[in-house]
Amino acid sequence: MTEAPIEAALPESSSSSSVEQNRQFAHLRGVQWRINLGILPSSSIDDLRRVTADSRRRYAGMRRRLLVDPHIPKDGSNSPNLVMDNPLSLNPDSTWGRFFRNAELEKMVDQDLSRLYPEHGSYFQTPGCQGMLRRILLLWCLRHPEYGYRQGMHELLAPLLYVLQVDVEHLSQVRKLYEDQFTDKFDDLSFLDNDLTYNFDFKKSPDIMEDENGSHGNVTKVRSLDELDPEIQTIVLLSDAYGAEGELGIVLSEKFMEHDAYCMLDALMSGAHGSVAMADFFSPTPAGGSYTGLPPVLEASAALYHLLSLVDSSLHSHLVELGVEPQYFALRWLRVLFGREFSLEDLLIIWDEIFASDNSILDKVAEDDTMSSFGVLNSPRGAFISAMAVSMLLYLRSSLLATEHATSCLQRLLNFPETVNLKKLIEKAKSLQALALSANMSSSSSSLGGALNWSKSAAVRGHSLSSDSVSPKTPLNLVPESYWEEKWRVLHKAEELEKSDSTKQVQTPKRGWTEKVRLSLSRTGSSPAKVESGKKDSNSSVKRSLLEDLSRELGSDEDTEKAHCDEVLSQKNSVCVEVEVEGQDGGKKEITCTAEGSLSGNAGSEENLSVYSDPTSYLNGANDQENDSEKSSVASTSSLEESDDHSSTIPDESPLPVSDNPKDVFPKSGLNNDSMGNSLTVPKERKLLSGKFQWFWKFGRNAAGEGTSEKGGGTFEATKSANCENDQDNTAGFLVANASCNSSISGKGDATDQNVMGTLRNLGQSMLDHIQVIETAFQQDRGQVGSLENLSKNGLVGKGQVTAVAALKELRKISNLLSEM
Amino acid sequence: MEVHDYLKTLCPDLHITRGEYDEEMRYPETKTLTIGQFKLGLCHGHQVIPWGDLDSLAMLQRQLDVDILVTGHTHQFTAYKHEGGVVINPGSATGAYSSITYDVNPSFVLMDIDGLRVVVYVYELIDGEVKVDKIDFKKTTTASH
């Protein structure tokens, strides 16, 4: 794989050179961005000037050609062919025709321009600026008729013009301060305007000629160029009217702002032979080399979600379940490069970072012959863009997870908070950028197929589950077959360790409870019904999210630690799990982290994958709960063992095709209820409820530190069946179990560990929180603010609803009990 | 009335003066309006005798104090530059019969008024072919009388 080292080398070298570039023109954003966009070379000042001049000439020529004014008769045309060239002519070549077409475009552009940045209207709404923007946009659209004018292009252009303006203003300030540097110099001699006589000292002149920088001859207050700040030096050199290419080469020039802005826009839109071409985001047709067959915007949105699933699977699955397709918000984010989400000053900082990333296409390290899957974002710049978007999503994580409606999610996403810790956001984005790059490079065609499936089925509700199930197969592919065998071996080894652990005593009081739980659940689990693996998938994903939430509330993990873990693990392969588990003496936190790693790595809940990720979810939950207690290692291994046994039972069940099932899920749940409107909320509630069942169950099992495969399988099936059917019986049964648990626990209260009490209390608290979530969901659904008792009187309420409400009340009581302990 | 409505659908900005056989009494005899830098006058022309006579029309132009006078009635296209002003007769758009003109060719006129300059495009249907002609006219900045 000789390509790989080269790939590794190139980005490094480019990044180092770009760092230099950044330092060189850090104070002149206009110049810096032009270098980053590939318009200007990053070499000497003279080269800069020459390239600038060339680009300006091109623009001027183009403008003369394309912006026609048929009023003005063409020079040298004596008798224009009036049959063709009259205003009513339908001839496409007629100047009048072009004029009217331009006028149409102008009208569209003006509509947008009049609403551009009203908060900075003092600059953007001036006729001069508007005229420039209009002409630039018009010319670009005329040159690229296949795109036409789309709303958003003006918002891409505006900051470009703005930074040029800022540069020019900076120049005028410098000019005022350093007037002497800007006087006309002939042969490096400076003649001051107020110097009436040439005090030309012939004796000194040869020395002066040799002296490259300013003259030391006549006036002492003239400083040499070298003595100045390097910043000021560059400004002077860039705006010297006698440098290379003369006036046309003055890089910071007000006269040619329009020309420069056009060049910047063109480079930004076309991507300058790089990967990210903004114009693609405006086109409805798939890009040429795309294998997904999707419009680039959708492709990029899919890439975004893919990255999110790698980083934070719970948030990803939450959004997917709610039906929040990424393009709902990502369209706006991507098309104007976050221009609408941040203030102008913040945006400039973000764009600094975006442009600093190189835009060259990364060749895919070929595992198979297919081209890169998410081709639109296949460059460091693209990676940064998607990383930035994911970082923004993570910023809103808590509020997104709290909502249960797609609309409120979208509301949150489309109204990004005003005051944002931008630095943190960007740092997070940078750390995710590397992940994004590796994710892009290693994603195979299967994940491509997954994304394709997902996007194509986006129209149908409920297919989000199928997406969840088929999307990133990547981690699975990367994991060799022997991985699972090794895991099994590891578990056995851990089991032996567990037996020698002295803290087994503490587990005994819990045993009775868990036994009772298990028994009651298996009792109530009558007909397991069909194995809706699709539903199971969603369950597991919600479970995971609940687990993580709860564990976060409970656990000693702080956010930073977790974040650190996230970042650490995101780099690692999921294969690391086995290594870490073996080294149990090592920090428990590490185990947590890697478990999470494998968890979030296996974000897609494929049939097999979900099975294996369930164990890790248990592992996660167990670990985070018991972190303060010494039982963590034991618990983790025990649950691993349990779940591994359990996982072996799952394949015994008839494996139904995952993609078909989700179709059944929602209509089925719809049938279960009388009112279709509740169909969505009820399954969710059920999932939450069942999630809680799972949670309790796992807690008990982990505390007990033992488990048999049959029972494990049985309870899982039982809880699963609890999901499938009406909850009534199961709820009642479980409540019985809970009540008995409580009594048993309180009975043995003195014997239990202090930590356990604390965890129980927290448990109760978190239960309360979740109950509140469900209740609010109910109330929202009903549209009533009244108490829950009213619900039963509502004629539309299905039987399941009422009992679910009753179950909620019971749960509330339990949680109160727990929290009092 | 139907024609009026039809024309309104083409362009809501419609100015009409009364013709010889118009039964609609509400149309004025003459009308003046300002477009850009130009003052335009509108009159059907049957009131000005002799019909189509330049001097008489010039009198009307002075009377209305307009730069451009648009008349009709003769069903024949004519355009005169006269005393710092323009008198235009676009002819008949439909080629309707006229007792004073033989062989009426359908014609109409498009005026492009741009600041101090007006370009007149004349479209005539002669022998089944559309012929286009152009007349330039620049308004002198001196006050016209």
Side-chain angles (χ1 to χ4, degrees):
Chain A
M1 298 250 273
T2 52
E3 289 176 347
I6 298 174
E7 249 72 62
L10 275 178
E12 281 164 8
S13 61
S14 63
S15 64
S16 62
S17 64
S18 66
V19 166
E20 286 159 20
Q21 290 164 14
N22 283 340
R23 267 188 248 123
Q24 189 186 16
F25 291 113
H27 55 300
L28 292 174
R29 267 215 180 94
V31 182
Q32 186 55 55
W33 284 11
R34 274 184 278 173
I35 294 175
N36 288 342
L37 286 171
I39 309 170
L40 294 181
S42 51
S43 44
S44 69
I45 298 269
D46 272 0
D47 279 345
L48 271 173
R49 292 178 66 112
R50 274 192 210 100
V51 173
T52 309
D54 278 338
S55 64
R56 285 169 181 174
R57 272 190 279 262
R58 274 199 302 270
Y59 175 77
M62 187 170 56
R63 192 169 86 174
R64 243 176 266 130
R65 268 188 299 125
L66 290 181
L67 282 189
V68 295
D69 190 1
H71 304 273
I72 304 165
K74 290 190 257 232
D75 302 324
S77 69
N78 297 324
S79 51
N81 186 359
L82 277 176
V83 173
M84 185 189 80
D85 223 2
N86 63 78
L88 298 177
S89 160
L90 296 173
N91 194 317
D93 286 336
S94 78
T95 50
W96 278 103
R98 271 196 286 155
F99 175 74
F100 286 129
R101 278 193 292 272
N102 293 357
E104 286 281 327
L105 259 179
E106 254 190 64
K107 207 163 61 159
M108 279 175 69
V109 170
D110 275 338
Q111 265 180 341
D112 283 338
L113 281 182
S114 56
R115 295 175 290 180
L116 176 68
Y117 277 124
E119 66 268 21
H120 297 280
S122 54
Y123 175 65
F124 286 109
Q125 295 294 327
T126 54
C129 178
Q130 291 258 306
M132 272 200 284
L133 292 168
R134 191 181 300 121
R135 278 194 296 276
I136 294 171
L137 287 168
L138 205 60
L139 280 173
W140 192 88
C141 294
L142 288 175
R143 289 279 286 177
H144 298 86
E146 65 271 17
Y147 293 108
Y149 175 74
R150 297 266 177 279
Q151 191 181 42
M153 293 180 177
H154 67 299
E155 299 216 21
L156 277 178
L157 174 62
L160 299 176
L161 195 61
Y162 184 73
V163 297
L164 288 171
Q165 175 72 19
V166 166
D167 276 357
V168 165
E169 280 170 11
H170 187 51
L171 169 68
S172 59
Q173 277 170 5
V174 167
R175 212 183 256 270
K176 273 188 221 133
L177 287 175
Y178 297 91
E179 268 181 48
D180 40 341
Q181 291 298 330
F182 290 95
T183 53
D184 274 349
K185 289 200 180 81
F186 291 96
D187 299 327
D188 293 323
L189 299 172
S190 104
F191 297 102
L192 291 182
D193 289 328
N194 53 12
D195 214 334
L196 292 174
T197 59
Y198 295 154
N199 292 334
F200 207 149
D201 199 337
F202 279 95
K203 269 184 256 154
K204 276 195 194 158
S205 59
D207 304 292
I208 294 169
M209 292 291 216
E210 283 158 14
D211 196 356
E212 276 187 345
N213 312 305
S215 81
H216 299 290
N218 303 331
V219 188
T220 48
K221 66 177 176 159
V222 175
R223 282 169 290 173
S224 73
L225 200 59
D226 271 346
E227 285 170 5
L228 292 174
D229 221 2
E231 280 189 12
I232 310 294
Q233 209 175 31
T234 49
I235 290 181
V236 170
L237 287 174
L238 285 174
S239 51
D240 180 17
Y242 295 98
E245 298 277 2
E247 281 230 12
L248 200 61
I250 299 177
V251 181
L252 308 169
S253 160
E254 189 161 3
K255 224 189 327 180
F256 298 110
M257 252 173 24
E258 192 178 323
H259 306 59
D260 295 336
Y262 177 83
C263 287
M264 288 171 84
L265 179 70
D266 200 27
L268 183 60
M269 292 292 249
S270 67
H273 311 293
S275 174
V276 177
M278 292 308 300
D280 283 342
F281 288 144
F282 291 96
S283 90
T285 55
S290 157
Y291 267 66
T292 57
L294 291 173
V297 157
L298 294 187
E299 221 181 278
S301 315
L304 216 158
Y305 256 25
H306 173 71
L307 180 61
L308 178 65
S309 65
L310 293 176
V311 172
D312 187 344
S313 60
S314 57
L315 179 60
H316 175 254
S317 41
H318 177 76
L319 286 173
V320 164
E321 275 160 29
L322 288 186
V324 176
E325 300 286 326
Q327 55 267 24
Y328 293 164
F329 57 91
L331 191 91
R332 192 171 85 177
W333 287 11
L334 292 171
R335 272 197 178 173
V336 289
L337 280 184
F338 313 108
R340 278 296 193 92
E341 322 302 323
F342 298 98
S343 66
L344 186 58
E345 288 76 27
D346 287 345
L347 187 69
L348 295 179
I349 301 172
I350 295 178
W351 279 26
D352 275 341
E353 293 299 332
I354 293 183
F355 295 148
S357 308
D358 181 48
N359 199 20
S360 48
I361 302 176
L362 300 168
D363 290 327
K364 186 165 124 62
V365 177
E367 279 175 20
D368 21 296
D369 279 352
T370 55
M371 287 175 37
S372 54
S373 54
F374 298 116
V376 189
L377 292 179
N378 196 26
S379 70
R381 186 173 295 172
F384 184 81
I385 293 175
S386 55
M388 184 73 203
V390 171
S391 141
M392 284 162 76
L393 282 170
L394 292 176
Y395 186 86
L396 293 175
R397 187 180 200 282
S398 45
S399 47
L400 286 178
L401 282 174
T403 63
E404 287 297 327
H405 291 280
T407 40
S408 41
C409 257
L410 281 171
Q411 259 175 358
R412 202 75 197 86
L413 288 164
L414 291 171
N415 292 310
F416 208 74
E418 284 283 327
T419 50
V420 172
N421 189 345
L422 196 65
K423 216 162 158 254
K424 253 178 138 188
L425 263 182
I426 293 182
E427 273 164 23
K428 179 97 187 150
K430 279 195 192 151
S431 61
L432 291 175
Q433 186 185 10
L435 171 66
L437 278 173
S438 58
N440 257 347
M441 284 171 71
S442 58
S443 53
S444 62
S445 56
S446 50
S447 76
L448 184 62
L452 175 62
N453 266 344
W454 170 36
S455 317
K456 282 200 172 156
S457 59
V460 182
R461 237 191 143 171
H463 272 234
S464 53
L465 287 175
S466 68
S467 72
D468 215 6
S469 47
V470 232
S471 61
K473 282 196 204 183
T474 321
L476 186 56
N477 283 350
L478 286 176
V479 172
E481 286 299 305
S482 54
Y483 166 58
W484 302 116
E485 291 167 20
E486 277 221 56
K487 209 165 169 222
W488 178 262
R489 256 179 265 125
V490 160
L491 289 176
H492 277 285
K493 215 188 291 179
E495 198 185 9
E496 289 162 20
L497 279 173
E498 165 224 327
K499 290 204 173 104
S500 58
D501 201 300
S502 58
T503 55
K504 207 168 182 204
Q505 290 174 337
V506 191
Q507 300 156 14
T508 43
K510 299 270 184 332
R511 198 172 293 189
W513 177 42
T514 52
E515 294 276 2
K516 285 191 182 136
V517 168
R518 244 180 274 122
L519 289 171
S520 59
L521 283 175
S522 48
R523 219 187 301 127
T524 56
S526 35
S527 57
K530 301 170 206 137
V531 175
E532 297 184 275
S533 45
K535 194 125 195 213
K536 175 184 67 173
D537 293 346
S538 60
N539 284 342
S540 56
S541 55
V542 174
K543 262 179 281 163
R544 240 176 281 128
S545 65
L546 280 175
L547 273 175
E548 281 174 14
D549 284 350
L550 290 172
S551 53
R552 208 169 293 115
E553 286 161 26
L554 280 184
S556 49
D557 286 19
E558 292 153 11
D559 274 354
T560 52
E561 275 183 341
K562 223 175 202 306
H564 171 67
C565 284
D566 276 339
E567 285 173 291
V568 165
L569 60 89
S570 60
Q571 310 291 338
K572 291 187 197 164
N573 204 326
S574 50
V575 184
C576 295
V577 171
E578 56 193 294
V579 176
E580 297 291 349
V581 170
E582 278 179 334
Q584 283 181 18
D585 304 332
K588 297 169 210 157
K589 294 250 158 60
E590 283 190 44
I591 296 177
T592 315
C593 289
T594 49
E596 274 191 47
S598 61
L599 173 66
S600 50
N602 304 336
S605 43
E606 255 234 333
E607 181 136 18
N608 282 334
L609 200 56
S610 65
V611 164
Y612 292 125
S613 53
D614 276 345
T616 51
S617 71
Y618 305 157
L619 172 66
N620 181 22
N623 276 340
D624 286 343
Q625 291 165 36
E626 320 262 0
N627 245 335
D628 4 340
S629 70
E630 305 97 312
K631 294 187 253 124
S632 60
S633 51
V634 178
S636 65
T637 58
S638 63
S639 56
L640 264 178
E641 171 218 1
E642 290 169 352
S643 44
D644 210 51
D645 293 333
H646 136 69
S647 66
S648 59
T649 62
I650 293 298
D652 295 344
E653 299 160 1
S654 54
L656 290 175
V658 177
S659 49
D660 285 343
N661 276 322
K663 286 181 205 160
D664 304 334
V665 167
F666 278 113
K668 200 173 169 26
S669 53
L671 287 171
N672 284 338
N673 290 310
D674 297 332
S675 55
M676 284 302 289
N678 302 325
S679 61
L680 188 55
T681 52
V682 171
K684 276 191 210 142
E685 286 141 21
R686 280 191 192 150
K687 283 180 225 153
L688 280 170
L689 284 173
S690 58
K692 282 205 205 52
F693 300 161
Q694 292 288 328
W695 199 90
F696 263 106
W697 167 55
K698 265 169 254 150
F699 178 66
R701 285 171 56 154
N702 292 333
E706 61 156 39
T708 60
S709 58
E710 301 88 37
K711 283 209 178 132
T715 45
F716 188 70
E717 274 196 60
T719 47
K720 220 164 20 81
S721 59
N723 305 340
C724 300
E725 303 167 7
N726 282 330
D727 294 355
Q728 323 170 32
D729 304 328
N730 297 330
T731 322
F734 183 73
L735 290 171
V736 166
N738 259 339
S740 57
C741 299
N742 280 339
S743 54
S744 65
I745 286 175
S746 51
K748 291 150 189 162
D750 38 343
T752 53
D753 204 14
Q754 197 56 36
N755 288 336
V756 177
M757 302 302 297
T759 50
L760 280 173
R761 248 176 261 124
N762 294 333
L763 173 65
Q765 195 52 47
S766 56
M767 268 201 70
L768 265 171
D769 292 340
H770 280 273
I771 288 167
Q772 274 162 5
V773 168
I774 296 179
E775 278 177 9
T776 50
F778 261 120
Q779 283 167 1
Q780 278 171 14
D781 194 40
R782 289 269 147 262
Q784 292 172 5
V785 190
S787 67
L788 289 171
E789 282 83 25
N790 293 336
L791 287 173
S792 52
K793 292 176 191 137
N794 195 329
L796 285 174
V797 178
K799 200 168 160 212
Q801 293 263 349
V802 180
T803 51
V805 168
L808 274 177
K809 277 194 248 167
E810 290 294 322
L811 281 171
R812 192 176 270 276
K813 282 186 215 153
I814 295 160
S815 50
N816 286 331
L817 268 171
L818 281 173
S819 42
E820 279 155 25
M821 290 171 71
Chain B
M1 273 320 285
E2 305 89 39
V3 182
H4 174 94
D5 293 334
Y6 168 66
L7 289 173
K8 272 265 181 179
T9 64
L10 295 176
C11 175
D13 195 15
L14 190 64
H15 306 279
I16 303 187
T17 51
R18 188 155 168 269
E20 199 178 6
Y21 300 110
D22 273 326
E23 286 160 30
E24 179 61 52
M25 291 298 166
R26 272 177 294 160
Y27 296 141
E29 294 276 325
T30 62
K31 202 163 188 185
T32 57
L33 45 136
T34 309
I35 298 177
Q37 301 285 337
F38 286 91
K39 281 189 288 195
L40 285 105
L42 212 60
C43 174
H44 177 249
H46 69 278
Q47 306 95 331
V48 179
I49 303 165
W51 292 333
D53 180 48
L54 176 60
D55 293 318
S56 318
L57 288 172
M59 262 202 309
L60 178 62
Q61 187 184 23
R62 284 192 291 272
Q63 216 174 359
L64 295 173
D65 188 26
V66 290
D67 303 309
I68 302 173
L69 180 68
V70 180
T71 56
H73 184 58
T74 61
H75 296 200
Q76 166 126 55
F77 164 72
T78 55
Y80 302 112
K81 281 191 205 171
H82 182 76
E83 282 176 12
V86 177
V87 179
I88 299 183
N89 186 331
S92 161
T94 52
Y97 169 78
S98 163
S99 52
I100 45 175
T101 308
Y102 306 114
D103 266 338
V104 178
N105 288 318
S107 60
F108 67 93
V109 152
L110 195 66
M111 279 201 294
D112 179 23
I113 298 176
D114 187 33
L116 284 171
R117 193 162 150 263
V118 61
V119 180
V120 178
Y121 291 91
V122 185
Y123 296 82
E124 286 177 291
L125 183 66
I126 299 170
D127 296 330
E129 231 184 85
V130 177
K131 297 243 162 58
V132 188
D133 206 359
K134 189 165 88 162
I135 302 170
D136 260 301
F137 176 67
K138 258 202 189 62
K139 176 176 175 174
T140 52
T141 47
T142 55
S144 53
H145 29 269

